[in-house]
Amino acid sequence: MMKEKIQQIAKSIFNDVVANRRHLHSHPELSFSEVQTSAFVAKHLDGLGLTYERMADNGLVALLKGEKPSDQVIALRADMDALPITEANDVPYKSKNVGVMHACGHDVHTSSLLGVATILTELKSEFGGTIKLIFQPAEEKLPGGASLMIKEGVLENPKPSAVIGQHVMPLIDAGKVGFRAGKYMASTDELYVTVKGKGGHGAQPQQNIDPVIITAQMLTALQQIVSRFSDPKSPCVLSFGKVIANGATNVIPNEVYLEGTFRTMDEDWRKEAHIKMKKMAEGLVESMGGTVYFNIVKGYPYLINEPVLTNNVRGFAEDYLGKENVLDLDIWMAAEDFAYYSQVADSCFYRLGTRNESRGITSSVHTPTFDIEETALETSVGLMAYLAVKQLGN
Ligand SMILES: [Zn+2]
Ligand SMILES: [Zn+2]
């Protein structure tokens, strides 16, 4: 009954959801600057008669109450920010803000959550429980809008028993979704390292301290953090993507500058690894006569999908879409600030398929040609509304 009603409304509002998504897509705003996006969301919440509070500057949190008696509370989360990318798609809804693009699908997440709000407002006499609608800023930039909203109390008064979020995935066909119970995405830390030596003529190494050779040893040694110290049962990655030694054929430079990333799925090991990496780099570089500045900028924690909640929600998704349209996800070593919710509340982060190979819609997120098959929006709004109502015990 509930399922058919939701499916019907999802169909009837489909054109509006597409229009909202296209509006947001053509007016993208960077992390921490989502002013117009936030105003757009507020206007729609006003239109639905929902009350909301502002948090983390551009964030909004609204409450939608079912009219049947229930003290259950859950939260649904969408992110609103775009990326510093120039859109290469030739589409009517192409970005009007040159150099800024919704290349991670956050326009889809925001327009979908507005669609969910529309569906559940229409059906509010038919379910019990409260839904917190979280529209958060700045997923793409440290320290992450999620961490700020949690600090400002988004998960209090009332406290949700579960937080559910979705993210587009161009590897999965539109109409399908993916789940993974347990550890799903990695923590990320940024590494900024300078190895200092003493530069000079390349023909006189005995008079210099060569930071290039020291760096070569350090890079090789640091891989032991992953291969010898990390538990092989738990994923861990250390990559240095930038190494600058600005000497010449016959010039040994004064210093070498490096940037890298460290990712894992265990907060204790993450802390320990930070200490070990610094210690190993300092010991090694000093033993060779150089000095090292090893700066670690902490990023998001790892993301864990609480297994009981995730298996529940997955079951509801199978009811709604059919078993054949619900897939298993593999671990993914990228990061996502939804991880902050997952560290403090039972959470479930699932993937919305947006691929349509026959229309050439296959580009990855964070590329200038990323786009979605818009029929995915009907799946998205209907499914999320259904998951919410079912998870509230209706
Ligand atoms: Zn992204
Ligand atoms: Zn994203």
Side-chain angles (χ1 to χ4, degrees):
M1 244 342 232
M2 185 56 98
K3 181 171 110 180
E4 286 73 26
K5 280 182 186 167
I6 289 175
Q7 280 170 336
Q8 206 184 348
I9 305 173
K11 206 179 274 301
S12 72
I13 65 169
F14 174 66
N15 289 335
D16 295 338
V17 178
V18 169
N20 287 345
R21 183 259 164 170
R22 290 185 172 199
H23 174 87
L24 293 171
H25 192 87
S26 52
H27 300 91
E29 294 175 296
L30 291 174
S31 312
F32 297 109
S33 309
E34 308 89 343
V35 177
Q36 299 303 324
T37 307
S38 179
F40 183 83
V41 169
K43 189 186 80 187
H44 280 78
L45 295 174
D46 286 336
L48 292 169
L50 297 172
T51 55
Y52 52 86
E53 210 183 306
R54 291 186 188 276
M55 276 188 193
D57 291 336
N58 299 322
L60 296 158
V61 54
L63 287 182
L64 198 166
K65 287 186 175 136
E67 289 172 355
K68 289 190 172 172
S70 165
D71 54 8
Q72 292 292 307
V73 184
I74 64 154
L76 303 175
R77 173 273 205 171
D79 42 12
M80 304 190 289
D81 55 326
L83 287 159
I85 291 176
T86 300
E87 177 154 20
N89 294 312
D90 185 16
V91 288
Y93 48 90
K94 182 174 179 164
S95 169
K96 290 187 164 76
N97 301 344
V98 178
V100 184
M101 178 188 174
H102 268 297
C104 202
H106 299 185
D107 53 338
V108 176
H109 311 156
T110 298
S111 54
S112 292
L113 194 53
L114 287 173
V116 171
T118 306
I119 294 173
L120 295 176
T121 300
E122 203 161 313
L123 292 175
K124 70 181 174 192
S125 63
E126 304 193 28
F127 73 91
T130 299
I131 296 155
K132 264 192 167 176
L133 304 162
I134 302 175
F135 295 90
Q136 71 150 80
E139 190 285 322
E140 299 283 4
K141 198 166 184 179
L142 295 180
S147 74
L148 301 175
M149 289 192 76
I150 292 168
K151 267 192 201 131
E152 293 184 24
V154 74
L155 298 182
E156 306 299 329
N157 303 322
K159 195 183 184 72
S161 61
V163 184
I164 300 172
Q166 65 170 347
H167 201 292
V168 297
M169 187 171 238
L171 290 172
I172 299 178
D173 286 336
K176 297 178 190 284
V177 293
F179 285 86
R180 182 180 185 88
K183 293 180 179 184
Y184 174 45
M185 292 175 75
S187 62
T188 44
D189 300 308
E190 296 173 354
L191 312 177
Y192 300 91
V193 183
T194 304
V195 176
K196 286 195 191 273
K198 185 169 160 280
H201 201 295
Q204 294 173 307
Q206 78 284 7
Q207 290 182 5
N208 309 319
I209 296 165
D210 184 352
V212 179
I213 290 294
I214 298 176
T215 298
Q217 302 278 344
M218 182 188 76
L219 278 174
T220 312
L222 281 172
Q223 284 305 321
Q224 290 179 38
I225 295 292
V226 177
S227 71
R228 302 292 87 178
F229 294 99
S230 171
D231 181 342
K233 295 190 294 300
S234 179
C236 187
V237 177
L238 174 63
S239 299
F240 283 91
K242 186 183 245 185
V243 181
I244 301 174
N246 202 13
T249 54
N250 51 3
V251 178
I252 292 170
N254 274 318
E255 62 179 46
V256 177
Y257 175 72
L258 307 93
E259 289 180 6
T261 180
F262 178 74
R263 296 164 186 245
T264 187
M265 289 187 164
D266 178 321
E267 290 301 308
D268 291 335
W269 163 239
R270 183 184 179 197
K271 274 191 212 106
E272 197 185 323
H274 287 182
I275 296 166
K276 277 197 154 64
M277 281 190 286
K278 273 191 179 174
K279 212 172 155 185
M280 187 183 273
E282 282 163 7
L284 197 105
V285 172
E286 277 163 26
S287 76
M288 298 173 85
T291 41
V292 62
Y293 299 89
F294 205 101
N295 185 20
I296 301 173
V297 176
K298 273 186 84 175
Y300 302 154
Y302 78 93
L303 190 157
I304 183 160
N305 286 320
E306 201 283 322
V308 175
L309 169 69
T310 303
N311 288 329
N312 259 345
V313 171
R314 185 193 168 120
F316 302 143
E318 288 177 352
D319 286 351
Y320 191 82
L321 298 174
K323 256 192 156 83
E324 67 283 6
N325 291 318
V326 179
L327 312 177
D328 291 318
L329 296 171
D330 206 349
I331 278 177
W332 201 36
M333 294 305 280
E336 158 68 51
D337 87 343
F338 187 85
Y340 281 111
Y341 302 108
S342 85
Q343 294 287 326
V344 292
D346 286 357
S347 299
C348 173
F349 190 63
Y350 65 92
R351 293 276 164 180
L352 175 73
T354 53
R355 184 185 188 88
N356 184 339
E357 204 148 359
S358 67
R359 293 186 51 219
I361 299 174
T362 58
S363 290
S364 303
V365 292
H366 292 218
T367 68
T369 52
F370 171 75
D371 200 0
I372 66 151
E373 165 54 52
E374 286 178 322
T375 57
L377 289 163
E378 189 179 328
T379 310
S380 168
V381 295
L383 176 66
M384 203 178 225
Y386 185 72
L387 298 180
V389 166
K390 296 303 281 184
Q391 185 58 32
L392 284 167
N394 293 275

